[in-house]
Amino acid sequence: MPTVPSLTSPAISFEPLDGWAKLPAGWSFMEVGGIAVDDHDNAYVFNRGEHPVIVFDRDGNLLRSFGEGIYHNRAHGIHYGVDGFIYCVDDARHCVDKFTTDGRMVWTLGEAGKPAPKWSGTPFNRPTHAFVSPKSGDLFVSDGYGNSMVHRYS
């Protein structure tokens, strides 16, 4: 199994880049829930503002936004899968949404706005994140607040 460098490893270094994200006048980030990066180094910022998913190129130039009218204020987790899709989890929607990288919704897993009974173990009650396994392609969803479990879809 390959080793992954730790954050303290000299192989990885970070530096803040103030002003990196070039937002249009009047746009802002509101409580960023997560960031995903695709194979082209585009950054997908999932936030609780008016433009839920804001996409930037590696230099911070705005490419597009999506999710308007779908997400309101509970952006929680975002993931770029090995399958080339973007997975968004807003815990108030009680579901997982799959998008193309240009922002077209492909499907929704779960029933938007309808939580499963709390602690029932059935999907979903305030899920928090989704992840596609690079090894198996299985989708894992952390059903955090209302179920405290992980669901696996193959």
Side-chain angles (χ1 to χ4, degrees):
M1 173 176 263
T3 58
V4 178
S6 72
L7 293 179
T8 58
S9 169
I12 295 177
S13 64
F14 300 91
E15 64 181 73
L17 295 174
D18 291 335
W20 171 82
K22 298 166 187 79
L23 289 169
W27 286 37
S28 64
F29 295 124
M30 298 294 295
E31 297 175 340
V32 173
I35 300 172
V37 178
D38 69 15
D39 292 336
H40 304 287
D41 284 342
N42 296 318
Y44 297 74
V45 180
F46 195 31
N47 77 103
R48 295 178 179 177
E50 187 177 340
H51 305 282
V53 181
I54 306 175
V55 187
F56 299 93
D57 68 14
R58 69 179 296 125
D59 297 318
N61 298 305
L62 175 71
L63 297 176
R64 65 191 154 280
S65 71
F66 60 90
E68 291 86 356
I70 298 171
Y71 304 107
H72 301 287
N73 64 359
R74 291 297 302 165
H76 214 289
I78 188 168
H79 173 67
Y80 175 72
V82 294
D83 56 0
F85 290 96
I86 300 292
Y87 295 83
C88 293
V89 180
D90 174 321
D91 73 336
R93 279 179 50 81
H94 306 286
C95 59
V96 178
D97 298 307
K98 180 179 179 177
F99 292 90
T100 60
T101 55
D102 63 357
R104 184 178 51 84
M105 188 182 288
V106 176
W107 54 247
T108 297
L109 181 62
E111 197 168 347
K114 298 201 176 178
K118 195 169 187 176
W119 312 122
S120 67
T122 57
F124 296 106
N125 190 307
R126 298 190 63 207
T128 55
H129 202 59
F131 175 79
V132 178
S133 168
K135 185 174 181 180
S136 67
D138 292 353
L139 174 67
F140 293 85
V141 180
S142 58
D143 200 358
Y145 296 113
N147 266 328
S148 295
M149 64 183 319
V150 175
H151 303 281
R152 180 181 182 175
Y153 298 89
S154 50

